[in-house]
Amino acid sequence: MKKLSMLVLAVVCIGIISCRDSKKEQEQAEVSIEKIETLEKELDETNEELNNKAKEAEDALNELDI
């Protein structure tokens, strides 16, 4: 019976440690996702600015052609 109790205790300890690791991995994943979303937002803003600058340049060139 003592060996069975030790086995159950060992399984419970491993389970607790595994859950703790999963929580850490989840937190790291959430941080990574937030960083990626921030980068995507910055890229979208930069792309929009570049498109606006390109439009302004085209308009300026068209005015010179007239």
Side-chain angles (χ1 to χ4, degrees), residues 13-66:
C13 289
I14 291 172
I16 291 171
I17 292 170
S18 296
C19 290
R20 184 178 294 163
D21 289 342
S22 296
K23 288 180 183 178
K24 288 180 183 177
E25 290 174 0
Q26 181 68 26
E27 290 172 0
Q28 289 174 348
E30 289 174 4
V31 169
S32 296
I33 290 170
E34 288 177 14
K35 288 180 181 179
I36 291 170
E37 289 175 348
T38 301
L39 288 174
E40 286 178 346
K41 184 178 178 183
E42 290 176 5
L43 285 173
D44 288 342
E45 290 172 358
T46 302
N47 189 25
E48 187 175 322
E49 289 175 16
L50 287 174
N51 287 336
N52 289 339
K53 296 284 184 179
K55 178 74 171 144
E56 290 174 8
E58 287 178 21
D59 291 342
L61 287 172
N62 287 337
E63 288 179 12
L64 291 174
D65 287 341
I66 295 176

